[in-house]
Amino acid sequence: MRERLKALIETLMMTPGPSGHEGPVRRLIRTELEKLGLATTTDRLGNLVATLEGDKARPSVMVIGHMDQLGFLVRKIEASGLIRVERLGGVPERALAAQEVALVAKGGRLIPAIIGNKSHHATLPEEKYRVVPYQDLIVDGGFASAAEVEAAGVTVGTPIIYEPRFVDLANGRIGGTSVDDRVACAIMIELAKALGGEKKRPTVHLVFSVQEEFNLRGVLPAAQTLAPDICVQLDLALATDTPDMAARGDVRLGGGPVMGLYSFHGRGTLNGLLPHPALVRLFEATADRTKIPLQRSVHIGALTETSYVQLVGKGVASIDMGFPARYTHSAREVCDLADVEALTRLMIAAIGAIGADFKLTRDDD
Ligand SMILES: [Zn+2]
């Protein structure tokens, strides 16, 4: 399973899909699901849904993983041919200069470019440790005029992503672009394979969602249409096993899947997730039974789509399940395939354990 996941993750990471422009990655996933004999639907926002019909007496489950990735949009094309950008999602400004990027021209065609970094030899002492705001960055595709940029099929609004990259590291660890959240997309394709033939389980809706990095709400039309009882969201969990993260928790790479017990984002959204206790109990019991180690995460500063999905309809019992990841949102995110495989196995076992008697009332809290 690990080798299959790895191959799938690499293909997914190398395929562009910036928020609002998910076409190429959606086509790839749709083809993978078709190979498994699964029909899919795509809604007006672009969410891709595959439903595995199951026992109707059991609560239905929606599993979400977002297809989109963060990046930029062309904001202004200078007469010189240099390009100014607007950010699309939470890009880390400290880690942008001198990165390779790709302009995503029509049809997903990638045009290579470099984010300029002021010549070191001309850098003043007071500039040395200063982070340049993204508004002041220039993207250099080698073009010598605005007309050349336009002739290449690049206009204001053209998306830009980190140059897609997959790095095979030691100990089964991998790095590169869009580990967030193509790893989850691969897990969900593996879930489709594992659960497809099994009928003694709930109906499972696999939702490959859009625009998560943009505003976290792209999945809402799918949640409203499917009206699931349960939602499990798959995404990275912040690994805290590097020196700069040590005080934040005990989530380590290779330590197993991560259950989110609390997420909150105070700047603007005032949203977050306190998971449904029945789902916390389900994953604890399943991890015990299958001997899969389960890590726990409590953190402020990041959100997932469940923050919004939980509020749909009569309320959707929700939980975030993750794989530990380092250096999130940078052009080189890192995770461990052992965690990815363990999370896949945990999901398969947990979904199978949701019986007709699985209670979502709050009486047992
Ligand atoms: Zn994500």
Side-chain angles (χ1 to χ4, degrees), residues 200-268:
K200 286 194 200 131
R201 53 153 177 80
T203 291
V204 177
H205 307 286
L206 300 171
V207 180
F208 300 86
S209 63
V210 293
Q211 300 190 23
E212 192 269 357
E213 299 290 1
F214 169 55
N215 71 2
L216 289 154
R217 298 163 179 83
V219 72
L220 283 180
Q224 283 153 357
T225 305
L226 299 167
D229 298 303
I230 292 169
C231 175
V232 183
Q233 193 272 166
L234 301 177
D235 207 334
L236 55 80
L238 299 183
T240 60
D241 58 348
T242 49
D244 50 351
M245 296 284 284
R248 289 187 65 115
D250 279 314
V251 175
R252 51 185 189 83
L253 227 56
V258 184
M259 179 166 63
L261 279 310
Y262 177 67
S263 72
F264 182 71
H265 190 261
R267 289 171 308 198

Side-chain angles (χ1 to χ4, degrees), residues 140-151:
D140 187 345
F143 302 109
S145 69
E148 276 187 29
V149 176
E150 277 151 30

